Amino acid sequence: LLDALRQTDVAAHEAGGITQHIGAYQVQLDNGGKITFIDTPGHAAFSEMRARGANVTDIVVLVVAADDGVMPQTLEAIQHARAAEVPIVVAINKIDRAQADPNRVMQQLSERGLVPEAWGGDTIMVEVSALQNLGVDDLLANLLVVAEVEDLRATADGRAAGVVLESNLDVGRGPVATVLVQRGTLKVGDPVVAGAAWGRVRALLNDKGQQVKSAGPSTPVQILGLSEVAEAGDDFIVAPTEKIAREVAQTREHWQRQASLGSAPHIAAGGARLEDVFRQIQAGETATLNLILKADVTGSLEALTESLKKLEREDVKLNFVLRGVGGITKSDIQLAAASNATLIGFNVRPDRKVREMADQEDVEIRTYE
């Protein structure tokens, strides 16, 4: 559906279509209007990211497959949208499928309090087929109607503020934060602070990966030039001066450190590695598995943590010694060796030197995608 929406974008580039750099992009409509879409993954593990998605959007488009009907993550998405108090527009997708039954979907949703307009309710439901490009224009038109009715406005004047959608550590470019500007205009050279990260905006990249000089409300951009990887979900704001930005960030970092010391997972003395855990279980002992998690972006780090926590059992407890974004480094290996931890890399790989060090220190690295 998102691909179909991007193809309706009249500003789409000929060369090789659009590559999606960030999970947010703008669609330029024929009538000159623009709509920014934020993509949140459907998998249940990404519920925290989805919850944030609902908190940074003005309208939620709930996509339900006409052949599958309402699923557990559909209900979860409805809860998030309601908690964020944003209007819901339903896109009933895959109506081209043989087993498609849009009426059944409407029935299931109306039982959940989303009654279609066609049945006298106040929820707009649009039947679409992303594959055959049916109803997509209708969906866009309805979003503009809702925006009009809700009187969604923002001011483009003054210092910019908004939210960090995603962030990662890029080998060539350093910390990169994908942000959504919610008010004011963000410009290259502005001093910004996002959580405990701060810096001067060195470059802004739009959703097509092109450099831009400024970004107004509802514009998603990537910021280069921050001191460290910001947390997804952090607010960002343009500070009056670089000095103030640094001081705010350092104060926040101090308090974050204090908070994490209070709740820091102490390195369990009996903390075991993977291979020892099985032995301890067989011996009827409670095993604690020390883990170090490294992932490519903060969103997947969160989803990974939540998924692992669900695997805890009476006889196996998990202890996260460290969770971080970026490649697997020598200091990770040192920490793993000291804390008897197993290292898990998600979408990140150690280089040759780090691998050699892990072999010497007898540290197990498991990488996954």
Side-chain angles (χ1 to χ4, degrees), residues 8 24 52 85 115 119 129 135 141-142 148 167 191 202 238 267-268 346:
T8 60
R52 275 204 302 273
E85 296 179 353
V115 183
W119 297 1
S129 162
N142 273 299
E148 197 71 25
S167 58
R202 202 169 69 229
V238 170
I267 295 173
F346 185 77

Side-chain angles (χ1 to χ4, degrees), residues 146-362:
V146 175
E148 197 71 25
V149 172
E150 294 281 325
D151 196 31
L152 300 174
R153 295 173 188 284
T155 172
D157 303 332
R159 295 204 304 265
V163 68
V164 177
L165 298 175
E166 192 55 281
S167 58
N168 64 310
L169 193 59
D170 186 288
V171 177
R173 302 184 298 179
V176 179
T178 301
V179 303
L180 180 72
V181 180
Q182 290 174 313
R183 60 169 198 269
T185 301
L186 181 64
K187 298 184 282 293
V188 172
D190 278 347
V192 291
V193 58
W198 67 280
R200 198 172 274 284
V201 178
R202 202 169 69 229
L204 292 173
L205 303 174
N206 68 7
D207 55 343
K208 314 274 197 299
Q210 305 155 328
Q211 292 219 14
V212 290
K213 288 273 183 280
S214 65
S218 286
T219 310
V221 280
Q222 287 187 320
I223 297 180
L224 308 189
L226 290 175
S227 59
E228 59 184 271
V229 177
E231 292 280 329
D234 277 346
D235 290 329
F236 84 87
I237 189 157
V238 170
T241 65
E242 201 168 340
K243 183 168 176 280
I244 292 174
R246 186 176 63 231
E247 285 167 0
V248 170
Q250 285 171 345
T251 308
R252 281 183 181 165
E253 188 182 27
H254 170 75
W255 288 112
Q256 278 177 9
R257 226 184 7 249
Q258 293 299 102
S260 70
L261 285 176
S263 62
H266 61 288
I267 295 173
R273 298 180 195 192
L274 225 47
E275 65 263 29
D276 307 330
V277 167
F278 301 114
R279 210 184 51 242
Q280 290 181 345
I281 295 168
Q282 278 158 354
E285 301 164 18
T286 300
T288 300
L289 180 62
N290 281 342
L291 291 177
I292 292 178
L293 306 186
K294 293 303 285 281
D296 51 346
V297 292
T298 45
S300 38
L301 186 64
E302 247 169 44
L304 183 63
T305 308
E306 291 310 309
S307 297
L308 285 167
K309 278 182 185 164
K310 291 198 174 95
L311 300 177
E312 274 200 324
R313 314 200 315 233
E314 278 304 303
D315 50 357
V316 186
K317 296 281 173 255
L318 293 183
N319 179 42
F320 297 107
V321 179
L322 172 78
R323 304 182 317 119
V325 170
I328 296 171
T329 62
K330 287 184 173 175
S331 63
D332 294 332
I333 303 295
Q334 285 163 344
L335 181 59
S339 60
N340 225 5
T342 303
L343 232 151
I344 294 182
F346 185 77
N347 282 340
V348 291
R349 305 205 156 278
D351 62 19
R352 194 172 52 84
K353 285 191 172 138
V354 171
R355 256 193 204 290
E356 284 170 4
M357 184 175 169
D359 291 341
Q360 283 165 7
E361 299 283 352
D362 196 25

Side-chain angles (χ1 to χ4, degrees), residues 59-72:
I59 302 169
V60 165
V61 179
L62 184 68
V63 183
V64 187
D67 53 348
D68 280 345
V70 172
M71 291 292 185

